[in-house]
Amino acid sequence: MQALLVLGYLALRASAQTWCGKNYMATSPIVPPGGLFPIPATSKDTLLALRCAPAIRPYLAEDAKTSSNDVAILIDTPVTFSQIANALPISLSHFNALAQTSLSVTVSTNGKTLVTGKVPLNASRHELPFKLSALEPRIQAYDLSCTATLESQKFDATGSLSFLPDPPADIGSVTKMDLRTGAVLARPADGKGGPFAPVFPIGFYTGFDNYLAQDPTGIPAQLKAQGLTVVHPIPTFDNLTALELVLDGLQEAGLYLMYDMRFTYMNATAVTEEVNRIKSRPNLLVWYTGDEPDGTSDPLDATLKSSNLIQSLDGGDGQGGAGYHPVSLVLNCEDYFYTQYASGADIIMQDTYMIGNNVTFSSQWGTPCTPDYGDCGCDNCKGNFQDISTRMDEFRERNFINGWELNKAVWTVPQGFGNDTYWKRFPTGQEWVVQSVVGINHGGLGVVSWDDPSTSDIQSSASTLAGSLVKMTPFILSPAATFRQITINLIDVGLWTVGKQTLVLATNTNYFATSVSLKELGLQSLQPFATQVLDTGAKLDSLRGKITLESVGSGGFIVNA
C-alpha cells in the first residue's frame, strides 16, 4: 500500500505540473507563482475593525427552549493601524484611553433589535446575550446588522446567524461550532443520544481498503481503545457495502467520522449522492472536501462552490448559512491563494510535513526549492518544528485580517508517515507528539494525522496524547479560559487558565534536554498541588520551580494559577 501511495503522490504531482503554483521539474523555467496573501497597508490613523457573529453555529429550534448562556452575539472591536477587513478610522481623545472606552452596540436582523449593550474597545469575543425566541427557526440564515457608536462616530458590521429547525429524519446528527473558542460540539458518536459537549478530535486519516475494511468491527474497537475520538477514512470507497460495514463499526465503537470527498468534491452529482448517503449517520462530525487544493491549483472557486452545495444538502441555505455539519479541508501551501481556497471551509487544516526531508533541495526532482521554484514536500519550510507554528500563526493571522476570526477554526495534521517520496524516515513517537502539541499551542482545535496504519511508536504516542486530552480539553476548549502562548529557548508552551488553575502544555523542539522555569511562564515558583496529565519526556520539579524536558519531550501539567 505504501508503494501505491508513493505512486499516487507522484502521479498527482505530474498531473498538476506545478505545486503551490511553482514549477518543480528541472526542465521547467523559474516563474513566480503569484497568489501571495496581501499584506495590509499601514494607516496613519487609528482604526476600528468591528466584527460580529453568533456564539454558536448553528442554533437549533430546541435551543430556544433552554436558558443556556450559549445564546449570545459575539462582538470583536480590535483597534489597529493596519487596513484589515472592515477597518475604519476612529477618533480617540487619547490612545491611552483605550482601556476605559466602550462602544454602544446594537445588533439587529430584519429591522428587529436583538440586543444592545456596551462593549469595550479592543474586546475579543465579547458576549451580548439575546433571546432566540425572538426569531423563528428556518433554513435561511438571518443577516445580522451590528452597529457601534462612540459619541458622534458610527461603525457598522454584518454577520450571519443560522437558527435551523430541529433536524429532519434524514439527518442523523448535528455538529455545532462554539465560535467563542472554535471548538466543535456534538452528541455522543454512538448514536444513543446525550447532550452536546465539546469534542477535541484526535485521530488519523485512515486506510480504507488496506485497513478498516479488513476488519470493520475489530479495528474501530481497537482505535477507540487507543483513546482516539475521530477516524478519517481515506477514499476511494468503491465498495459501498464495505463502506457501510466500516461506518457501522465506527459508530458502534463510538468514533466520530470525518467524511472525505477529495476526489469528488468538484463533481456536483457525486457530492449530492455522497452527502445524501452519509448525512443520516449519527456519528458524522465533519465533511471534508479539498485535499491540498492549493497544491494542485484547483479552480479558485471550487472549495466555496462545493461547501455551498454540501450545506444546501445538509439542511442549510447553500448561500453561506450553516447546515447541520461544518465543512473542512486541508491546505498544503505556505502562501498560495489562501483566501480563495479557505473561503470554502469552516475548519481549515494545515499539513506541514518537515521530518526526514531535505526542504532546500528536492531529492525527487533534483532541483533547489525556493519561494518561486521547486517542490520539497514542505512548502517554504526551514526543516524544523517552527515550520508548524509559523504555518498555524499565519493561518490565524490571515483569518483575522479577512475578518474571519469569529467564523473559522484551524486544525493541525501531524506527519505520521515516512520512507515515502521526499520523507526518508518516520517521525518517532515523541516527534509526533511535538508536532501535535505545537499545533495545539498555536490554536489547533483538532489533531488528525496522515496516516494510519503507522508505526507502533507513533500509535502508542498518539494514544498517550489522546488519553491526556480527556483532562486537558476542559481547559483548551473552555469559553472561560484565558490563553497565552510563550516560546522560551525553543520550548513551546501553551497556558490556559480557568478559575484558579492553569494547564501548562510544554514541548521541547530542541534535540537536547533543557528546562524552563515557572517564573519565566508567569506562574508561582512552588506548585505543591500540580498534576501531570501528559508525559512523553517531561517532569515538573516543584522545589526548583522548573519544567525539565528531554530531547523532543513534551508534558502537560495542571498547576495553581
Side-chain angles (χ1 to χ4, degrees), residues 177-352:
M177 289 185 69
D178 185 341
L179 301 183
R180 297 168 298 182
T181 61
V184 291
L185 309 173
R187 292 190 168 100
D190 59 12
K192 297 178 181 179
F196 282 94
V199 176
F200 193 105
I202 179 168
F204 288 79
Y205 293 76
T206 307
F208 179 70
D209 286 326
N210 69 314
Y211 189 42
L212 290 169
Q214 301 301 311
D215 188 353
T217 301
I219 291 175
Q222 175 186 330
L223 299 178
K224 179 66 173 181
Q226 292 173 3
L228 305 183
T229 59
V230 67
V231 172
H232 183 141
I234 302 170
T236 58
F237 308 126
D238 296 327
N239 186 333
L240 293 182
T241 300
L243 177 62
E244 293 299 317
L245 290 173
V246 167
L247 299 185
D248 287 344
L250 295 178
Q251 179 184 332
E252 183 179 344
L255 289 165
Y256 291 105
L257 168 68
M258 290 185 71
Y259 186 75
D260 191 323
M261 293 177 277
R262 67 180 63 197
F263 298 123
T264 56
Y265 87 95
M266 289 186 283
N267 182 323
T269 300
V271 167
T272 300
E273 292 175 354
E274 290 183 79
V275 170
N276 286 336
R277 181 188 308 125
I278 299 298
K279 66 185 182 181
S280 62
R281 285 280 166 184
N283 61 334
L284 174 63
L285 187 72
V286 178
W287 302 109
Y288 181 91
T289 58
D291 190 79
E292 303 177 342
D294 51 346
T296 49
S297 298
D298 290 357
L300 297 181
D301 61 354
T303 62
L304 182 59
K305 283 182 176 179
S306 180
S307 176
N308 285 342
L309 173 59
I310 291 167
Q311 298 293 25
S312 73
L313 298 166
D314 190 33
D317 60 18
Q319 299 174 348
Y324 289 108
H325 304 86
V327 175
S328 66
L329 54 74
V330 72
L331 297 181
N332 183 253
C333 306
E334 188 265 336
D335 191 3
Y336 188 66
F337 290 109
Y338 176 86
T339 296
Q340 288 82 351
Y341 292 118
S343 66
D346 305 294
I347 297 164
I348 305 155
M349 307 168 76
Q350 64 79 27
D351 57 357
T352 307

Side-chain angles (χ1 to χ4, degrees), residues 29 41 89 173 204 303 316 329 361 363 392 411 442 451 466 515:
S173 66
F204 288 79
T303 62
L329 54 74
F361 189 85
S363 59
M392 294 293 295
W411 292 4
H442 290 263
D451 63 334
S515 64

